């Protein structure tokens, strides 16, 4: 991987190699970090960051859930995101704000300083070249999501992604592009790091936030775009076998954007390629950055 030249770390821009953390930092041992994933897109009006404020509001909400004190306010983190994009002279890129318990104590409940960084790097299609057009083959993982009142799925916390790593690595080991996790109920939850949508007779169905999933900002964006385009959207519990019966399936997220799923567990989904609803939502979403879809939502925040 080619690393960028600059990163924002604890209040200032510094060279990438100088943003170091002690090996005894609390987060390294206990997973006590919260983070966001945000994309910057180039547009006819210059680079924009997609829903920057909404993402960073969730960063602060995640920190609140895990009682991680934030040493900077929202405006400072937003400014840091813009600054690191400009300093690296990027027009497109992926942004990673992260806050974590640093060095200062060794117990689980130790009070430590909070370190904060904002990194950016170049990222194409998260699940591989061509997948936005061709789709991926997915499988249902043998690993389930955590049960309610165990780990809060509503926080975008580093420790939560141990679950996602198990799901994703199992899928790759078995030759699939991505894994799909069930909730502790045995009903559908989400992908390893993506939200999940199924289409039946032109209606968009997605699992509810009670299904141990992160309430994704891309998920919310697509539900908004769909409804405004006259596509009905239903949030409901969904059993595993509906993956084999639906007309279309796709995953979404900041990294994955809108990735069609052409098969699940070796069973072809629909026509085996992106269906009409998936293609419509791709067109509406990426149209925000080409100018074809009007940004009446205030989602595009200039760098």
């Amino acid at each position: 991987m080619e690393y960028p030249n600059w990163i924002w770390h604890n209040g200032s821009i510094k060279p990438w190699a100088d943003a170091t953390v002690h090996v005894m930092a609390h987060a390294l041992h206990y997973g006590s970090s919260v983070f966001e994933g945000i994309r910057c897109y180039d547009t006819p009006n210059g680079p924009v960051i997609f829903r920057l404020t909404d993402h960073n509001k969730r960063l602060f909400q995640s920190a609140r859930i895990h009682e991680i004190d934030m040493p900077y306010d929202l405006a400072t983190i937003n400014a840091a995101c813009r600054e690191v994009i400009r300093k690296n002279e990027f027009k497109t890129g992926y942004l990673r704000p992260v806050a974590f318990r640093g060095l200062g104590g060794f117990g689980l409940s130790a009070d430590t300083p909070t370190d904060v960084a904002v990194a950016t790097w170049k990222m194409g299609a998260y699940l591989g070249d061509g997948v936005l057009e061709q789709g991926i083959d997915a499988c249902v993982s043998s690993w389930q999501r955590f049960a309610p009142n165990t780990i809060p799925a509503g926080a975008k916390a580093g420790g939560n992604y141990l679950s996602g790593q198990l799901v994703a690595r199992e899928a790759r080991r078995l030759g699939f592009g991505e894994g799909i996790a069930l909730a502790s109920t045995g009903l559908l939850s989400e992908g390893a790091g993506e939200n999940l949508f199924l289409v039946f007779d032109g209606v968009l169905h997605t699992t509810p936030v009670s299904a141990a999933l992160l309430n994704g900002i891309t998920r919310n964006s697509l539900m908004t775009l769909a409804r405004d385009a006259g596509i009905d959207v239903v949030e409901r519990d969904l059993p595993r076998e509906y993956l084999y019966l639906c007309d279309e399936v796709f995953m979404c997220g900041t990294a994955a954007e809108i990735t069609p799923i052409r098969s699940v567990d070796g069973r072809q989904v629909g026509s085996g390629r992106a269906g009409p609803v998936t293609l419509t939502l791709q067109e509406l979403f990426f149209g925000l950055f080409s100018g074809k879809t009007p940004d009446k939502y205030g989602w595009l925040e200039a760098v």
Side-chain angles (χ1 to χ4, degrees):
M1 178 175 176
E2 183 179 349
Y3 298 115
N5 293 323
W6 304 98
I7 187 170
W8 188 94
H9 183 220
N10 287 339
S12 65
I13 291 282
K14 60 181 65 173
W16 179 273
D18 292 349
T20 57
V21 178
H22 198 280
V23 295
M24 294 308 296
H26 194 277
L28 182 61
H29 296 262
Y30 302 122
S32 49
S33 66
V34 294
F35 69 96
E36 279 298 320
I38 316 171
R39 278 197 189 253
C40 175
Y41 290 92
D42 198 13
T43 76
N45 297 318
V48 300
I49 303 174
F50 183 63
R51 299 190 67 171
L52 170 67
T53 299
D54 289 333
H55 277 283
N56 283 331
K57 282 181 177 178
R58 188 174 63 182
L59 177 73
F60 280 79
Q61 291 167 355
S62 298
R64 182 177 181 182
I65 289 170
H66 284 285
E67 300 183 53
I68 296 174
D69 294 330
M70 292 293 287
Y72 305 100
D73 61 14
L74 176 62
T76 300
I77 302 303
N78 281 351
C81 290
R82 292 185 168 97
E83 186 179 8
V84 76
I85 287 281
R86 290 195 300 264
K87 183 67 174 178
N88 282 293
E89 300 181 345
F90 285 179
K91 291 186 177 180
T92 64
Y94 181 89
L95 281 158
R96 170 57 54 82
V98 58
F100 57 95
R101 291 193 175 103
L103 180 67
F106 304 122
L108 284 171
S109 61
D111 292 322
T112 73
T114 301
D115 288 3
V116 182
V118 180
T120 186
W121 61 88
K122 294 290 188 179
M123 176 186 282
Y126 173 64
L127 294 174
D129 294 338
V131 299
L132 299 183
E133 300 78 25
Q134 300 165 16
I136 62 167
D137 301 308
C139 67
V140 175
S141 178
S142 66
W143 294 98
Q144 292 186 331
R145 287 300 198 211
F146 23 82
N149 208 32
T150 55
I151 296 175
K156 193 172 177 69
N160 290 21
Y161 284 78
L162 285 170
S163 170
Q165 289 175 56
L166 290 169
V167 173
R169 293 180 72 87
E170 178 184 49
R172 306 296 192 278
R173 187 174 67 251
L174 297 175
F176 293 95
E178 187 59 298
I180 295 170
L182 304 180
S184 62
T185 58
L187 301 172
L188 287 177
S189 178
E190 59 179 352
E194 310 88 5
N195 291 130
L196 194 64
F197 284 92
L198 286 68
V199 179
F200 294 90
D201 298 323
V203 177
L204 199 59
H205 295 251
T206 191
T207 46
V209 293
S210 57
L213 56 85
L214 182 71
N215 187 9
I217 289 172
T218 306
R219 172 184 183 270
N220 170 265
S221 303
L222 295 182
M223 292 167 72
T224 301
L225 290 169
R227 286 174 173 139
D228 285 355
I231 299 170
D232 290 334
V233 181
V234 179
E235 289 184 80
R236 57 178 295 201
D237 287 328
L238 292 163
R240 172 180 179 163
E241 61 268 23
Y242 276 33
L243 291 168
Y244 313 140
L245 303 176
C246 61
D247 303 316
E248 306 174 41
V249 187
F250 65 86
M251 290 177 164
C252 75
T254 293
E257 296 171 306
I258 304 169
T259 301
I261 297 175
R262 60 194 179 202
S263 73
V264 179
D265 294 337
R267 297 166 169 86
Q268 180 174 299
V269 174
S271 65
R273 54 183 178 270
V277 174
T278 304
L279 291 171
T280 295
L281 289 172
Q282 283 185 334
E283 183 178 2
L284 289 169
F285 179 76
F286 291 111
L288 290 165
F289 314 115
S290 69
K292 189 174 180 180
T293 302
D295 178 29
K296 59 184 180 180
Y297 318 97
W299 289 343
L300 308 186
E301 302 187 44
V303 172

